[in-house]
Amino acid sequence: MLDDCRVHSPTSRMWRADLSRLDELGGIEVLVHNAGIPKRRRATALDAATVESVMTVNYFSPVRLTLALLPRLVARRARIVHVSSVAARLSPPGEAAYAASKAALSSWAETLAAELWDTGVRVHVVYRGVFDTEIFQLPDNDRSESPVEALPVKAIVEPVLQQIERGTFEIHVPGYFAQIATRKAADTGAFVAGTAAWLRARCTERAAPGKGG
């Protein structure tokens, strides 16, 4: 990841930092909220503590870090990039905790963008699709129900760089997810019913003789 950054900014550095000692960070031009955990599990198998842990990492941590750095970000007219997920828009089965946390992050970013508009700080949201990262191999998670093939991580780099350069508020990567989100918004009830039918068909297929896994 550091090598990728140095292609565009040769002086980029990476280090572990104690966030209680922010003076060591120096000037901040771009803040990227990318950390996240999935916890793929049906709602009937979730408990409150699990949901809260997902919300803490995926939502509260970015919010706390932003608030801690906000005066410095304003002073530098910085960029804040929130890596959300298409799950925030499409609410995929088995990802209730994750989707809700990313939806919260997206809503936070929208409000933040409006409130900071006149400060020169630019806020961005990235609705990323399925990428080949360890988030899909973590233990204690059900397997992903996504029918979409995972893309290499490098496929998201250029779209985000262009987003920052152009000042675009939100992007979907891959772009076709924007069209799916728009169709869902036009009739959310129909979208949910269709998702339920698709999930039912998947369960039936897995239960058929010779299937499963």
Side-chain angles (χ1 to χ4, degrees):
M1 184 62 71
L2 181 59
D3 290 340
D4 292 336
C5 290
R6 283 177 171 167
V7 171
H8 303 278
S9 179
T11 60
S12 297
R13 293 181 295 164
M14 179 174 66
W15 66 94
R16 296 181 182 275
D18 182 349
L19 295 181
S20 67
R21 301 172 61 184
L22 298 177
D23 288 336
E24 295 181 356
L25 295 177
I28 301 173
E29 304 293 340
V30 180
L31 175 62
V32 181
H33 295 302
N34 187 47
I37 58 175
K39 201 51 67 182
R40 288 182 301 277
R41 203 174 285 172
R42 298 285 183 90
T44 52
L46 283 171
D47 56 71
T50 298
V51 175
E52 288 176 7
S53 68
V54 174
M55 189 65 73
T56 295
V57 174
N58 295 0
Y59 175 65
F60 287 119
S61 291
V63 168
R64 288 169 179 158
L65 184 56
T66 298
L67 293 176
L69 297 175
L70 196 53
R72 297 166 185 265
L73 297 170
V74 171
R76 305 285 291 203
R77 300 170 67 89
R79 302 291 182 262
I80 308 175
V81 180
H82 301 79
V83 180
S84 184
S85 169
V86 295
R89 290 284 180 86
L90 305 181
S91 308
E95 299 190 25
Y98 177 77
S101 68
K102 289 298 188 177
L105 184 67
S106 298
S107 293
W108 160 267
E110 290 176 8
T111 300
L112 194 67
E115 293 182 356
L116 298 181
W117 191 270
D118 292 331
T119 68
V121 174
R122 286 294 170 261
V123 178
H124 310 279
V125 178
V126 180
Y127 289 102
R128 63 158 189 81
V130 181
F131 284 84
D132 187 16
T133 69
E134 61 273 16
I135 199 171
F136 291 102
Q137 285 80 44
L138 292 176
D140 197 29
N141 280 270
D142 294 343
R143 73 178 184 180
S144 173
E145 294 285 355
S146 175
V148 179
E149 183 178 354
L151 296 175
V153 174
K154 64 181 181 181
I156 201 172
V157 175
E158 192 59 34
V160 173
L161 290 174
Q162 291 180 5
Q163 178 187 28
I164 295 173
E165 181 179 353
R166 297 170 181 172
T168 307
F169 174 67
E170 70 176 34
I171 61 172
H172 292 71
V173 186
Y176 66 78
F177 275 112
Q179 300 173 357
I180 298 175
T182 298
R183 290 199 297 268
K184 176 199 171 184
D187 192 340
T188 304
F191 184 90
V192 171
T195 302
W198 173 83
L199 185 60
R200 191 181 308 115
R202 290 275 291 177
C203 292
T204 300
E205 179 185 354
R206 288 178 181 172
K211 302 291 184 179

